[in-house]
Amino acid sequence: VQLVESGGGLVQPGGSLRLTCAHSGATASSVCMGWFRQAPGTEREVVAVISGDGDNTYYADSVRDRFTISRDNGKNTVYLQMNSLKPEDTDMYYCAATNGQSCGSRWSRQYRYGYWGQGTQVTVS
């Protein structure tokens, strides 16, 4: 599975960005996908994940009600709509994928995901 992120950039506090992850190499509906983020010197942490069919979504408490994950399996694309951005949302954001339609009980653990994109930088300032 190949993943390519786009959509990062510089935005003012309170602003919005939409990240896009284009994926290939697997049937879209059979892959649980998610977004993680990481600042230098820190652990990579989950932001949001979505099941292969898009019916189940999971969020970190810090972004719940501000971020929305969605997917378009016809376009092999996953999105992360980020609203009401805060300076503490500044990070490198990574798209991740794992085989299996269901994300499972370990959806927040980075070891659950075997495929990663190269990352896209989000800066809120």
Side-chain angles (χ1 to χ4, degrees), residues 61-80:
D61 289 342
S62 59
V63 305
R64 196 183 308 278
D65 298 328
R66 297 189 298 123
F67 291 10
T68 302
I69 189 170
S70 62
R71 66 190 300 161
D72 184 338
N73 285 345
K75 296 182 179 180
N76 284 1
T77 304
V78 174
Y79 306 98
L80 184 68

Side-chain angles (χ1 to χ4, degrees), residues 37-46 110:
R37 64 187 183 184
Q38 184 176 28
T42 68
E43 292 284 324
R44 193 169 293 188
E45 63 177 13
V46 70
Q110 60 170 315

Side-chain angles (χ1 to χ4, degrees), residues 4-124:
V4 179
E5 305 98 330
S6 61
L10 173 64
V11 63
Q12 294 183 343
S16 298
L17 280 176
R18 188 175 79 159
L19 305 184
T20 299
C21 176
H23 59 91
S24 61
T27 301
S29 61
S30 67
V31 181
C32 162
M33 298 190 64
W35 290 94
F36 284 70
R37 64 187 183 184
Q38 184 176 28
T42 68
E43 292 284 324
R44 193 169 293 188
E45 63 177 13
V46 70
V47 177
V49 304
I50 186 167
S51 60
D53 59 8
D55 286 349
N56 296 291
T57 56
Y58 310 85
Y59 295 92
D61 289 342
S62 59
V63 305
R64 196 183 308 278
D65 298 328
R66 297 189 298 123
F67 291 10
T68 302
I69 189 170
S70 62
R71 66 190 300 161
D72 184 338
N73 285 345
K75 296 182 179 180
N76 284 1
T77 304
V78 174
Y79 306 98
L80 184 68
Q81 178 66 44
M82 306 185 294
N83 298 329
S84 302
L85 282 161
K86 305 175 181 179
E88 51 263 44
D89 294 318
T90 295
D91 269 323
M92 185 71 79
Y93 283 70
Y94 296 91
C95 182
T98 185
N99 291 320
Q101 191 282 135
S102 171
C103 298
S105 61
R106 297 178 177 84
W107 60 270
S108 64
R109 309 294 178 87
Q110 60 170 315
Y111 66 73
R112 174 84 171 84
Y113 302 84
Y115 306 98
W116 295 87
Q118 81 288 350
T120 186
Q121 178 68 38
V122 172
T123 301
V124 185

